[in-house]
């Protein structure tokens, strides 16, 4: 692989600075995705769905 000049995007088009920022936020526990997912997830509902799924397997 030939060296490419330093760019802000990878060959796939990913913004390197954005990824670094996301990684820093995740390391600090401030990940936007994780917070949004946690707020939208109802643990009791998930447990009920899991129980139904297990019952169907038997």
């Amino acid at each position: 692989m030939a060296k490419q000049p330093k760019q802000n995007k990878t060959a796939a088009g990913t913004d390197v600075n954005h990824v670094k920022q996301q990684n820093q936020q995740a390391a600090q526990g401030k990940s936007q995705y994780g917070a949004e997912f946690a707020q939208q997830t109802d643990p009791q509902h998930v447990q009920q769905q899991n129980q139904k799924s297990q019952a169907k397997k038997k």
Side-chain angles (χ1 to χ4, degrees):
M1 252 180 140
K3 282 190 174 182
Q4 295 179 351
K6 190 170 181 175
Q7 298 175 339
N8 289 338
K9 294 198 182 264
T10 64
T14 305
D15 184 345
V16 175
N17 293 327
H18 182 69
V19 172
K20 287 181 182 180
Q21 182 182 14
Q22 285 181 321
N23 289 342
Q24 286 177 339
Q25 287 177 348
Q28 295 171 358
K30 297 180 182 177
S31 176
Q32 246 185 337
Y33 175 76
E36 289 176 12
F37 182 75
Q39 289 173 356
Q40 294 175 1
T41 303
D42 179 8
Q44 289 180 330
H45 181 71
V46 172
Q47 288 173 347
Q48 288 172 354
Q49 295 292 65
N50 289 344
Q51 287 173 352
K52 287 180 185 178
S53 176
Q54 289 299 324
K56 287 182 182 179
K57 288 182 182 178
K58 294 180 180 177

